[in-house]
Every structure is written in C-alpha cells, then in structure tokens.
C-alpha cells in the first residue's frame, strides 16, 4: 500500500480481515489475489477488484472516484 506517495510496510491481510487506510490525496493498493480483495472507497462497496489469482495495482483518489462504480445489490 502506498498512501499519499509514501510506501507503507508490506503486509499480508488474512482472509476475512479488514485493513483501513486513510489518505489525503491518493491510495495505491497492490494485491496478489484481486478476486479475493474486496474494496470500499468513500463508503461505496466496490466488490472484488479483479479475478482470483490476478495480481494488480489500483489507485484510489477523489479524481478517480468517477471511474469507480459501486457493485449493484
């Protein structure tokens, strides 16, 4: 995780656990299993970030918020 351009210590978040990151401008998240990484951005559920086993990096910022659509319930 990178918060406002600063790398945070790398960690593995166990299945079922939650990691909250607060930033002023931007959060950059890298996951090695996007299908099992569920995100919430500004209190909007985004659902899984990709496919199971897919490695990806995604940025969250106010500017990018218009590109992210909440998951239909």
């Amino acid at each position: 995780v990178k918060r406002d351009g600063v790398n945070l210590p790398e960690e593995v978040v166990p299945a079922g656990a939650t990691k909250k990151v607060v930033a002023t401008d931007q959060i950059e998240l890298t996951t090695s299993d996007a299908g099992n990484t569920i995100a919430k951005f500004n209190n909007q559920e985004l659902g899984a970030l990709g496919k199971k086993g897919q490695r990806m990096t995604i940025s969250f910022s106010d500017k990018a918020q218009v590109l992210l659509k909440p998951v239909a319930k």
Side-chain angles (χ1 to χ4, degrees):
V1 174
K2 189 184 281 190
R3 177 180 58 205
D4 294 331
V6 177
N7 286 320
L8 300 179
E10 187 173 318
E11 69 179 285
V12 174
V13 179
T18 301
K19 169 76 176 181
K20 182 176 182 178
V21 180
V22 178
T24 302
D25 295 313
Q26 182 179 24
I27 295 169
E28 186 174 286
L29 169 69
T30 300
T31 178
S32 59
D33 190 0
N36 285 312
T37 303
I38 309 297
K40 183 186 256 191
F41 179 64
N42 287 344
N43 292 318
Q44 290 185 11
E45 294 284 344
L46 301 178
L49 296 179
K51 297 179 182 178
K52 288 188 178 186
Q54 179 183 16
R55 179 175 175 81
M56 76 174 346
T57 299
I58 186 166
S59 294
F60 297 91
S61 70
D62 284 338
K63 292 176 186 173
Q65 184 174 8
V66 294
L67 302 175
L68 301 171
K69 297 179 182 174
V71 175
K73 293 185 178 185

